C-alpha cells in the first residue's frame, strides 16, 4: 500500500535494521535524474551468465521464551544491530472500535517506564551513542523494535530496550502531548495532495479491511491510557516473535544475553495471528479528490495484487519493474522523457501476508491530467497486449539481479532476507536461487500476469486536483465519484 497512515516512530534515531519482514514493498524512488540526452553506446560489458549467489549463512536458535533468533556475524566493526518483530502487535489487530491503538502504543513505549522518564531514556541513549526505535502502522501485522549500539555498550542498551518493551508506563501527560502533536500532523496531511491520493487509493483497494483504514483526529481522541495498557498486555507477547541480530557477536554470546535480559517476557499461549484478504474488487472506478486551485494533479492507477507468499511474486516483481521501475521503466520513459508531463512516474507493489496492491503514480501539471492518465493506461495495456521486446526484457531482468547482488553488500540487508524467509516459511536456499528464478521468467509469463492482475475492469483511478479543471476530462475514463479533501463523497456522475 502507499504510505498513508501515521507510523509511530519512537524517537532517537541513528539506524535501523532494514524494513519490517511483514510488508516487503517495492518502493518507487522519490525522484530520478533524467536520462534524456544520454548517449548509450552499447559497449558496456554484458555477461549472459546467471549470477551465482551464496549468502553468508545465518545461525538460528530459539530463546528460552520461544522467540526465534537469527544471528548474522559481522566482526569488521565493533557494532551490533538488533531487530525485533512482534507478530500480532501491529495495527491490523487494533480493536474495531478503536483504530490506531497499536500505532499509539508503539509511539508511547519510549515515553516512560516504571523506573525511567522519557527524558532519562533519551539521555541514556544519547550517552551510549545508541538508538532504540519502535514502529507500527494500522496495516501492519507486527510492531517492530530496532536497536543499534557499540558492542561495549550492548548490555546497557539491552537493559534499556527491555525496560522500554516490558515496562511502559504510558504517562497521561505524555499521551496528551502525543495526541496534540498527532492531530496537528493529521491536519497538515489534509493539505498534502500526495497523502490524500494515497488515502483514497487504500480506501478503494482495501475497503473495510484494516489496510484501508486511516487514522483520524477523532480516532486519536478516543484512545485512552487504559486502552494502551490493555493492548500492550494482550499483544506484546513473545509467542510468535523473531529477533534478528547482525554485528560483532556470536549466536552463543547474544543468545545468553537475550535469554537473561528478556527472562521476564514469557509466553502468553496466543494462537498464531491470522489475517484475511480484503474483499475482491468488483469493478474499476474513477475517483476525484477535489482540491480547488491545485496547480498539479496527483494520479494513482492500481488495483489489488498478491500476498508475499504467492507463486506469482517473482513474475509480478519483474512486471512491475518493466512498467515502473526507475528511469528505465516505461512510465518514466513515456511520461517524463518523451512527453515531459512530470518529473517522475513510477510503480510499486505492496505484498503483505494478505492480498496487497499494485499501483502506478505520478504528479502532472493540471492541464495535462487527461493525456497523462491516457498514457498510464496505455502502458498498462501494453503489458497485457504486447510481447516485451527481447532486449528490454533481458536488460530489466539483469538489472533486477544486479540490484539484488548490490543489496547483499550490507549485512543488514542479508539479515533482512533471512528474517523474511523465516516469517514466510521460505526454503533455506530461497535467496541463493533468486537470480536463477528471475532469469528463467519468460515474456509469456509476464503477459499472463499482466492480464491476470491488471485487468482494465478492476483498475482504480485516483486523481487529486482542481475539480473544475480536470473533472470533465476524468469522466471519459469511467463513472466519476467526487470527494472533498476530508474524504466525504460530494458528487459524481
Amino acid at each position: 500500500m502507499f504510505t498513508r497512515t501515521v507510523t509511530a516512530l519512537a524517537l532517537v534515531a541513528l539506524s535501523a535494521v532494514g524494513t519490517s519482514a511483514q510488508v516487503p514493498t517495492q518502493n518507487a524512488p522519490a525522484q530520478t535524474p533524467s536520462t534524456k540526452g544520454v548517449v548509450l553506446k552499447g559497449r558496456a560489458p554484458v555477461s549472459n551468465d546467471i549470477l551465482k549467489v551464496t549468502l553468508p549463512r545465518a545461525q538460528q536458535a530459539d530463546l528460552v521464551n520461544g522467540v526465534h533468533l537469527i544471528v548474522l556475524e559481522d566482526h569488521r566493526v565493533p557494532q551490533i544491530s538488533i531487530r525485533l518483530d512482534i507478530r500480532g502487535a501491529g495495527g491490523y489487530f487494533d480493536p474495531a472500535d478503536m483504530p490506531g491503538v497499536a500505532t499509539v502504543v508503539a509511539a508511547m513505549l519510549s515515553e516512560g517506564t516504571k523506573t525511567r522518564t522519557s527524558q532519562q531514556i533519551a539521555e541514556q541513549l544519547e550517552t551510549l551513542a545508541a538508538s532504540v526505535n519502535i514502529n507500527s502502522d494500522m496495516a501492519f501485522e507486527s510492531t517492530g523494535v530496532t536497536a543499534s549500539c557499540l558492542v561495549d555498550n550492548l548490555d546497557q542498551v539491552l537493559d534499556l530496550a527491555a525496560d522500554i518493551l516490558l515496562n511502559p508506563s504510558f504517562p497521561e501527560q505524555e499521551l496528551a502531548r502525543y495526541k496534540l502533536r498527532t492531530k496537528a500532523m493529521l491536519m497538515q496531511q489534509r493539505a498534502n495532495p500526495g497523502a490524500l491520493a494515497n488515502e483514497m487509493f487504500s480506501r478503494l483497494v482495501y475497503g473495510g479491511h484494516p489496510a484501508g483504514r486511516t487514522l483520524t483526529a477523532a480516532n486519536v481522541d478516543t484512545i485512552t491510557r487504559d486502552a494502551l495498557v490493555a493492548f500492550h498486555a494482550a499483544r506484546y507477547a513473545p509467542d510468535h516473535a523473531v529477533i534478528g541480530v547482525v554485528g560483532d557477536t556470536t549466536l552463543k554470546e547474544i543468545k545468553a544475553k537475550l535469554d537473561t535480559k528478556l527472562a521476564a517476557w514469557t509466553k502468553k499461549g496466543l494462537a498464531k495471528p491470522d489475517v484475511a484478504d480484503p474483499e475482491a474488487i468488483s469493478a474499476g472506478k474513477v475517483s476525484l479528490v477535489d482540491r480547488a486551485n491545485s496547480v498539479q494533479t496527483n494520479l494513482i492507477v492500481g488495483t489489488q495484487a498478491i500476498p508475499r507468499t504467492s507463486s506469482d511474486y517473482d513474475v509480478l516483481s519483474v512486471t512491475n519493474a518493466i512498467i515502473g521501475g526507475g528511469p528505465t521503466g516505461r512510465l518514466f520513459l513515456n511520461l517524463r522523457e518523451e512527453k515531459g508531463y512530470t518529473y517522475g512516474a513510477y510503480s510499486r507493489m505492496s505484498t503483505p501476508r494478505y492480498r496487497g496492491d499494485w499501483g502506478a503514480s505520478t504528479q502532472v501539471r493540471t492541464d495535462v491530467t487527461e493525456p497523462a492518465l491516457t498514457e498510464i493506461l496505455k502502458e498498462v495495456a501494453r503489458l497485457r497486449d504486447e510481447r516485451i521486446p527481447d532486449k528490454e526484457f533481458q536488460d530489466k531482468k539483469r538489472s533486477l539481479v544486479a540490484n539484488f547482488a548490490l543489496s547483499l553488500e550490507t549485512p543488514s540487508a542479508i539479515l533482512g532476507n533471512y528474517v523474511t524467509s523465516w516469517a514466510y516459511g521460505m526454503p533455506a536456499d530461497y535467496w541463493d536461487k533468486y537470480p536463477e528464478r528471475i532469469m528463467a521468467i519468460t515474456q509469456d509469463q509476464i503477459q499472463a500476469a499482466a492480464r491476470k492482475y491488471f485487468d482494465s475492469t478492476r483498475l482504480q483511478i485516483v486523481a487529486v486536483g482542481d475539480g473544475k479543471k480536470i473533472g470533465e476530462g476524468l469522466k471519459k475514463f469511467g463513472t466519476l465519484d467526487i470527494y472533498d479533501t476530508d474524504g466525504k463523497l460530494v458528487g459524481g456522475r
Side-chain angles (χ1 to χ4, degrees):
M1 64 225 64
F2 292 88
T3 304
R4 82 275 180 267
T5 55
V6 174
T7 297
L9 185 60
L11 210 39
V12 199
L14 284 181
S15 65
V17 191
T19 56
S20 171
Q22 60 185 337
V23 189
T25 302
Q26 295 191 336
N27 290 313
Q31 189 164 312
T32 308
S34 172
T35 58
K36 211 162 189 174
V38 174
V39 177
L40 300 176
K41 296 185 176 180
R43 293 177 182 171
V46 175
S47 171
N48 291 322
D49 293 338
I50 297 176
L51 179 70
K52 302 294 183 187
V53 174
T54 303
L55 272 61
R57 292 301 172 205
Q59 301 176 68
Q60 306 196 30
D62 289 331
L63 300 184
V64 171
N65 63 6
V67 175
H68 190 66
L69 174 64
I70 303 174
V71 178
L72 189 64
E73 294 185 26
D74 180 8
H75 301 287
R76 291 175 294 180
V77 292
Q79 292 183 332
I80 190 164
S81 296
I82 300 173
R83 161 187 173 172
L84 165 65
D85 283 347
I86 311 171
R87 188 176 170 192
Y92 185 97
F93 301 101
D94 279 338
D97 60 344
M98 201 175 289
V101 169
T103 302
V104 182
V105 168
M108 290 292 297
L109 280 180
S110 61
E111 296 297 339
T113 71
K114 294 172 183 175
T115 56
R116 292 178 171 92
T117 65
S118 175
Q119 184 175 352
Q120 288 171 327
I121 291 171
E123 288 175 350
Q124 281 188 265
L125 287 169
E126 185 176 358
T127 301
L128 296 168
S131 69
V132 175
N133 301 319
I134 306 104
N135 67 81
S136 188
D137 184 278
M138 294 175 73
F140 284 7
E141 270 190 281
S142 302
T143 283
V145 181
T146 62
S148 179
C149 65
L150 297 171
V151 171
D152 286 347
N153 297 331
L154 179 59
D155 282 321
Q156 296 174 75
V157 172
L158 286 178
D159 282 336
L160 184 55
D163 191 31
I164 291 171
L165 176 67
L166 304 180
N167 305 307
S169 57
F170 301 117
E172 291 278 13
Q173 191 174 16
E174 296 294 344
L175 178 59
R177 288 177 182 151
Y178 173 82
K179 286 184 175 183
L180 281 176
R181 290 196 305 269
T182 302
K183 287 192 288 186
M185 185 187 64
L186 291 172
M187 286 180 65
Q188 289 179 340
Q189 279 189 355
R190 307 307 316 168
N192 182 327
L196 295 178
N198 294 332
E199 177 186 279
M200 182 56 65
F201 181 74
S202 293
R203 181 170 156 185
L204 295 170
V205 168
Y206 291 100
H209 189 271
R213 297 180 303 194
T214 301
L215 189 65
T216 66
N219 295 146
V220 173
D221 279 334
T222 64
I223 294 173
T224 64
R225 181 182 180 279
D226 287 346
L228 303 183
V229 171
F231 188 90
H232 179 268
R235 290 286 175 181
Y236 276 64
D239 301 46
H240 308 290
V242 57
I243 295 179
V245 179
V246 61
D248 189 12
T249 187
T250 64
L251 176 67
K252 181 179 179 180
E253 182 181 54
I254 192 66
K255 182 179 183 305
K257 288 181 184 295
L258 291 171
D259 275 333
T260 301
K261 306 297 184 185
L262 298 178
W265 199 32
T266 56
K267 279 190 174 182
K268 298 180 185 294
L270 298 180
K272 187 173 286 188
D274 198 12
V275 296
D277 283 336
E279 287 189 22
I281 293 174
S282 58
K285 188 179 289 186
V286 185
S287 302
L288 164 65
V289 179
D290 188 1
R291 190 167 179 271
N293 301 318
S294 279
V295 296
Q296 65 178 19
T297 303
N298 286 60
L299 290 170
I300 300 178
V301 176
T303 188
Q304 291 175 348
I306 56 173
R308 182 61 179 83
T309 52
S310 169
S311 58
D312 289 335
Y313 178 81
D314 288 337
V315 174
L316 208 56
S317 295
V318 178
T319 309
N320 176 62
I322 290 169
I323 188 172
T328 59
R330 290 179 171 184
L331 290 170
F332 190 95
L333 293 174
N334 183 339
L335 276 76
R336 170 164 167 155
E337 302 294 87
E338 184 181 334
K339 304 293 191 313
Y341 291 156
T342 178
Y343 287 110
Y346 311 97
S347 66
R348 28 63 68 221
M349 64 180 197
S350 172
T351 53
R353 199 177 298 273
Y354 48 82
R355 181 169 54 218
D357 64 82
W358 172 86
S361 62
T362 189
Q363 303 170 24
V364 298
R365 302 189 314 272
T366 297
D367 62 317
V368 298
T369 297
E370 185 182 334
L373 184 52
T374 299
E375 294 302 320
I376 294 173
L377 295 173
K378 187 184 296 181
E379 293 298 347
V380 175
R382 279 181 68 199
L383 286 174
R384 296 192 304 260
D385 302 336
E386 299 178 14
R387 184 180 176 85
I388 303 164
D390 288 343
K391 186 175 186 311
E392 179 189 6
F393 187 51
Q394 296 304 326
D395 285 350
K396 187 57 68 174
K397 290 197 296 184
R398 273 197 292 269
S399 172
L400 277 176
V401 170
N403 285 332
F404 170 70
L406 285 175
S407 75
L408 302 181
E409 291 184 353
T410 60
S412 60
I414 298 173
L415 177 69
N417 288 342
Y418 278 113
V419 172
T420 298
S421 297
W422 181 83
Y424 291 96
M426 296 168 175
D429 61 353
Y430 180 88
W431 297 106
D432 293 340
K433 293 186 175 179
Y434 176 81
E436 185 180 338
R437 292 200 312 273
I438 293 298
M439 296 309 294
I441 290 171
T442 67
Q443 287 128 307
D444 288 343
Q445 286 178 289
I446 298 295
Q447 201 165 357
R451 287 172 176 168
K452 180 178 180 180
Y453 295 108
F454 302 161
D455 176 0
S456 60
T457 64
R458 296 173 58 246
L459 288 177
Q460 304 297 311
I461 297 172
V462 174
V464 179
D466 190 333
K468 290 181 180 177
K469 297 178 180 176
I470 65 175
E472 285 302 314
L474 291 174
K475 290 177 182 177
K476 299 175 182 176
F477 298 91
T479 303
L480 179 66
D481 289 337
I482 303 173
Y483 299 84
D484 64 17
T485 54
D486 289 323
K488 181 182 176 183
L489 184 65
V490 293
R493 179 180 73 91

